[in-house]
Amino acid sequence: MTIETTYHSDTRPDFTPFEESCGTIAGFTYAGDVATEMAAGTTSAAEALDLLDGMLAIRELEEMIVRLRSGGYDPLPGYDYRGPTHVSIGQEGTGIGACSVLRADDNVTSSHRGHGDAIAKGFSAIRAMTDEQLLARVPALDGASHAELLEAALEEHVFRVIAELFGKEEGYSRGRGGGMHIGDFSTGNLGANAIVGGSVPIATGAAMAIRYERADRVVCCFAGDGAYANGVVLESLNWAAQDQWKNHLAGPYAHGLPIIFFIQNNHYGMTHRTDEEVMGVRHLARRAAGFAENNMHAEVVNGMDVLAVRDAVRRAASLCRAGEGPVLIEASTYRYYGHSLSDPRNEYRTREEEASWRAVDPIERLKAQLLTAGAADAEAIAAIQTRARERNARAAIRASLATDPDPADLLRFLYTETTADQVPEAAATVTTYADAPVAKRDAAGAISYKDALREALVEEMARDARVIHYGEDVADYGGAFKLTKGLLETFGRERVFNTPISEACICGTAVGAAIVGLRPVVELMYMDFALMASDQIANQAGKWHYMSGAQVEVPLVIRASVGAGKGYGGQHSQSLESMFTHIPGTWVVYPSNAADAKGLLKSAIRTNNPVVFVESQGLYPAKGVVPDGEYLVEIGKARVARAGTDATIVAWGPAVPDALSAAEVLATEHGLAAEVIDLRSLVPLDMETVLASVRKTGRCVVASQAVLVGSYVNEIVARVQLEAFDYLDGPVGRIGAAAGISPQAEGLEKAFLPNAGDIVRAVLASR
């Protein structure tokens, strides 16, 4: 058998107009140029020159990266650039064309190849600024003219982009994010994303929040062709196109999500070919036909023509502002270099193919049109080129001399200390449509764990209109466990709504909504399903505060319930909280009783950190005294659930009732007074309360329902042994589920899960 190693047929530029048979998906219909745009009044000569300046700014910056890697960038001889090198040279027309018709307060998201989009959104927003706004960016130029302020602000923008690429404190993300995560949130750039397709649900969530706020803004989501084979991207297309945004369920505000899905189709993933290899359609715009009856107004444009892109995005933005979104645009473009500069390209494409695309270069096309239209002469164009080159050189030299982050600040920005203690006036007015559900307390004031959680949700939603709640079946049905029953009737479908079975998109949209100002609480029906959403929880929710250099906070709560002990088997029973403790940037909370369920959930909703809030289905019916009205429990402060002097039992979640039962057995049958510490939260961890108890008792057992191998139990054990070794009178005991898969059979499941007897035996073994 012979394996074919020859090239596929070349991907050559082909901008022949077409119309797909699947409906109204047209391609390459734009036939204008600078002259026709000027005649129509849609693009002035000055605007066309600004487009050229923007594209040249991107190319100068990215060619600087290329030359730095080879040691050939004259302004910085010998500079050691060690960051990513995913350049977008050749694609300049896409970002500049799109951003040129977006408003300053519109948002964009981008990809790992996002330097160009960062420059583009910044230039567009800065050009729209008043003198006062410009002066805020370059305060040293007080008294300067508008033209001087503008040019200085543009150079400052280039400087801060380069400083971020160089890992400097003066970079937009203070060197924490780097080029693949760059974003200037002050100009509407919600960040680039190193996870292919990772920003698409974030952009969708931002658009959802804009719709909820009834703001006149649009999100333009830049992503490459490779992303459109990614599951969460397809989930996002479906999410954005849901009927409920525009049909009778939308009530008085039938308004589609204001999002433009902009595919920067450069025809390659890393090295794989989108055309003829890993996709089954010729034009990716056909993806839209699978999710919306109107095909999301999809069209294909010539991405090598900045004016064609500008025309398409102008029309798309108008549709979105009119409530007719989402819109999908595919721009056929090309990256002249490989996936990164370590990719020589010669193994999967030809020089002839590259030459054919360089022959339709977007910058050269625009320059020729400017000359033909009389919008500029050769001297003026040369001056713009010189200005872009010198601007970049000055910015690069300054960035090279900027401040390196202090290693002592390594963990700065990992979490935020801020909370929503005060609700902004605009969010303090809450509309309700029916009386809120009220839990019936018994004579002692006790309610169930489940009702305590609902009470927390009701109180926080009544307090702050920014709090919304969504997930699978949480609206009319009230959730799989009826925990949210009544919320829809009280707060309406704008704030309580059902979602597709799309766990990754549930969490990803929550990230986007949180970044732009809402405080979403989302439900994952079973914690097992968090594995499907793990990228959006771990790489997005948990990282954006840090990667943005604290430009943004991500105040969201992911409610996830654990179904252990119900005979639901290996895919609906896992206690996975330990996995999320291994992801710096997220808080992990697991209440053990009704009062803490309420108090901790209210605190989780108010913190500006993302929280994985774990609930035990086994504890849902358990009753306890819960304060009525305002009641908060501090996250990161453990509780001494039972005092003792002979042994310390540390536990969380459903292991706490087991620990209390074990303590009672130890007291009545063995004469031992065990102290039970309920951690309440694993991140942040109150280790001081644990250590204080161990120093008193001299013995310790740590218990949870998670599988013991790899469990957070082991982290607690290690720290007790490290930090309280001299106080220990015996080995530290470890309790957890068996190192296996949760079985359905009742007898096997009882053997799989730990119980109070296991804890008793562990305490006795430590003596």
Side-chain angles (χ1 to χ4, degrees):
M1 177 178 179
T2 302
I3 302 297
E4 182 181 346
T5 58
T6 56
Y7 294 109
H8 296 268
S9 58
D10 281 356
T11 297
R12 301 293 178 97
D14 179 7
F15 307 124
T16 305
F18 69 87
E19 183 170 314
E20 289 282 5
S21 60
C22 61
T24 54
I25 298 180
F28 310 122
T29 60
Y30 180 78
D33 56 22
V34 170
T36 60
E37 290 279 337
M38 289 173 59
T42 47
T43 303
S44 67
E47 288 171 328
L49 292 172
D50 287 344
L51 296 175
L52 178 63
D53 182 49
M55 288 197 290
L56 286 168
I58 295 172
R59 187 158 295 186
E60 281 293 332
L61 181 139
E62 297 205 307
E63 286 188 344
M64 173 197 73
I65 294 173
V66 174
R67 294 197 291 272
L68 281 173
R69 273 298 169 91
S70 64
Y73 187 58
D74 292 340
L76 292 177
Y79 186 79
D80 181 21
Y81 174 66
R82 59 181 301 276
T85 58
H86 304 92
V87 296
S88 61
I89 297 172
Q91 299 181 196
E92 297 88 351
T94 59
I96 289 294
C99 292
S100 70
V101 286
L102 297 178
R103 298 176 185 170
D105 61 348
D106 288 335
N107 297 120
V108 302
T109 60
S110 188
S111 70
H112 60 282
R113 207 176 302 281
H115 321 124
D117 298 332
I119 291 289
K121 185 59 169 80
F123 269 38
S124 174
I126 289 167
R127 290 189 189 282
M129 289 181 181
T130 65
D131 285 1
E132 183 180 4
Q133 292 169 323
L134 292 171
L135 187 60
R137 297 179 78 90
V138 285
L141 268 68
D142 193 12
S145 68
H146 178 80
E148 291 168 333
L149 286 170
L150 176 58
E151 180 55 35
L154 293 174
E155 184 170 320
E156 180 71 10
H157 177 56
V158 174
F159 158 69
R160 293 197 66 189
V161 170
I162 298 175
E164 188 60 34
L165 300 183
F166 288 1
K168 302 292 187 175
E169 278 284 354
E170 290 83 351
Y172 276 120
S173 301
R174 304 187 189 188
R176 271 67 172 182
M180 290 198 292
H181 312 106
I182 194 165
D184 173 14
F185 290 77
S186 72
T187 57
N189 184 348
L190 304 183
N193 213 293
I195 304 297
V196 173
S199 64
V200 180
I202 294 173
T204 306
M208 186 178 70
I210 289 168
R211 178 192 179 277
Y212 172 70
E213 294 172 339
R214 304 192 181 188
D216 187 27
R217 305 206 316 273
V218 170
V219 179
C220 185
C221 173
F222 295 113
D225 45 292
Y228 280 76
N230 190 302
V232 76
V233 173
L234 303 182
E235 287 183 28
S236 298
L237 295 180
N238 182 67
W239 190 286
Q242 290 177 77
D243 280 342
Q244 67 175 315
W245 308 130
K246 293 192 286 188
N247 67 8
H248 63 282
L249 296 175
Y253 193 61
H255 195 95
L257 292 201
I259 184 169
I260 303 166
F261 294 106
F262 192 103
I263 307 174
Q264 292 168 314
N265 184 0
N266 62 29
H267 303 280
Y268 290 93
M270 182 173 171
T271 66
H272 71 242
R273 187 180 293 265
T274 297
D275 309 326
E276 300 182 337
E277 187 177 3
V278 302
M279 303 291 187
V281 293
R282 182 181 178 193
H283 299 289
L284 289 176
R286 292 191 67 177
R287 289 281 189 262
F291 297 100
E293 297 289 350
N294 66 359
N295 298 337
M296 297 187 183
H297 313 282
E299 66 175 298
V300 185
V301 302
N302 179 359
M304 307 300 277
D305 183 348
V306 67
L307 295 177
V309 173
R310 178 177 162 90
D311 170 71
V313 175
R314 179 193 287 117
R315 289 184 283 105
S318 294
L319 285 169
C320 287
R321 295 188 208 281
E324 296 301 316
V327 178
L328 187 143
I329 296 171
E330 176 189 350
S332 179
T333 185
Y334 199 76
R335 54 169 164 87
Y336 296 163
Y337 288 86
H339 173 68
S340 68
L341 295 183
S342 62
D343 168 15
R345 318 187 302 283
N346 58 4
E347 295 171 294
Y348 60 93
R349 68 190 201 192
T350 67
R351 291 185 179 182
E352 291 77 15
E353 176 184 309
E354 292 184 359
S356 70
W357 284 93
R358 286 181 181 271
V360 292
D361 182 82
I363 293 176
E364 295 305 315
R365 173 193 289 266
L366 182 60
K367 285 160 62 174
Q369 291 183 10
L370 287 165
L371 291 170
T372 301
D377 57 22
E379 184 178 351
I381 290 174
I384 293 173
Q385 290 180 288
T386 299
R387 183 176 67 198
R389 182 174 61 254
E390 293 178 350
R391 178 199 292 143
N392 195 89
R394 288 191 300 270
I397 292 169
R398 185 179 162 205
S400 71
L401 301 173
T403 312
D404 290 320
D406 187 342
D409 290 334
L410 171 65
L411 300 183
R412 189 182 178 199
F413 313 131
L414 189 57
Y415 301 101
T416 178
E417 297 180 358
T418 65
T419 60
D421 290 334
Q422 301 297 320
V423 179
E425 184 177 352
T429 301
V430 173
T431 300
T432 57
Y433 303 93
D435 291 340
V438 177
K440 291 185 178 180
R441 284 169 164 76
D442 64 17
I447 59 175
S448 71
Y449 184 106
K450 180 173 74 173
D451 284 345
L453 290 168
R454 179 168 55 203
E455 188 165 278
L457 281 168
V458 167
E459 290 179 7
E460 292 305 298
M461 294 185 74
R463 172 182 179 267
D464 189 340
R466 296 172 298 174
V467 180
I468 62 174
H469 187 60
Y470 58 92
E472 296 161 13
D473 308 299
V474 301
D476 314 73
Y477 189 68
F481 311 105
K482 300 299 183 182
L483 194 151
T484 57
K485 190 65 178 175
L487 295 188
L488 170 65
E489 292 78 5
T490 302
F491 298 107
R493 203 173 293 272
E494 280 192 315
R495 298 182 65 195
V496 182
F497 54 90
N498 293 327
T499 70
I501 300 175
S502 300
E503 286 83 4
C505 207
I506 289 170
C507 294
T509 55
V511 175
I515 283 175
V516 298
L518 296 188
R519 310 186 69 82
V521 181
V522 299
E523 177 179 299
L524 297 179
M525 190 183 297
Y526 282 83
M527 193 170 196
D528 312 66
F529 306 162
L531 296 177
M532 300 187 70
S534 58
D535 171 64
Q536 292 299 317
I537 299 171
N539 283 320
Q540 311 301 339
K543 289 185 170 65
W544 269 110
H545 180 257
Y546 183 85
M547 292 195 308
S548 72
Q551 290 183 81
V552 294
E553 295 171 324
V554 191
L556 65 88
V557 178
I558 298 167
R559 293 181 45 242
S561 68
V562 175
K566 297 169 58 179
Y568 272 35
Q571 296 177 341
H572 281 67
S573 305
Q574 297 171 92
S575 192
L576 300 175
E577 68 275 8
S578 296
M579 293 185 62
F580 294 98
T581 66
H582 194 65
I583 301 164
T586 56
W587 280 6
V588 181
V589 176
Y590 200 163
S592 70
N593 60 83
D596 281 359
K598 176 180 178 178
L600 288 170
L601 182 54
K602 286 171 68 71
S603 293
I605 294 171
R606 294 191 193 184
T607 179
N608 288 329
N609 290 293
V611 181
V612 175
F613 193 93
V614 190
E615 304 165 6
S616 168
Q617 293 173 25
L619 293 178
Y620 277 165
K623 286 192 171 185
V625 175
V626 178
D628 198 0
E630 184 74 346
Y631 175 68
L632 300 173
V633 173
E634 180 183 355
I635 297 175
K637 183 64 177 176
R639 173 178 72 104
V640 179
R642 176 173 176 143
T645 56
D646 296 321
T648 298
I649 305 171
V650 181
W652 58 87
V656 173
D658 285 346
L660 290 170
S661 296
E664 183 63 25
V665 170
L666 289 166
T668 57
E669 298 182 15
H670 302 279
L672 298 175
E675 184 155 282
V676 177
I677 305 297
D678 179 355
L679 286 181
R680 290 173 161 165
S681 67
L682 306 184
V683 182
L685 174 64
D686 179 8
M687 201 63 198
E688 284 308 309
T689 296
V690 173
L691 294 173
S693 178
V694 172
R695 291 176 187 131
K696 176 176 64 174
T697 66
R699 289 177 170 80
C700 183
V701 170
V702 186
S704 84
Q705 280 199 351
V707 170
L708 188 56
V709 175
S711 169
Y712 201 64
V713 162
N714 302 307
E715 173 69 13
I716 307 296
V717 169
R719 289 195 60 182
V720 167
Q721 293 184 152
L722 181 66
E723 299 173 44
F725 183 79
D726 291 342
Y727 295 86
L728 289 171
D729 297 325
V732 180
R734 305 182 306 146
I735 300 295
I741 297 168
S742 181
Q744 181 177 352
E746 183 176 5
L748 292 177
E749 188 175 29
K750 285 182 177 179
F752 172 77
L753 291 171
N755 56 45
D758 297 323
I759 298 174
V760 170
R761 287 187 288 274
V763 170
L764 295 176
S766 71
R767 300 189 65 79

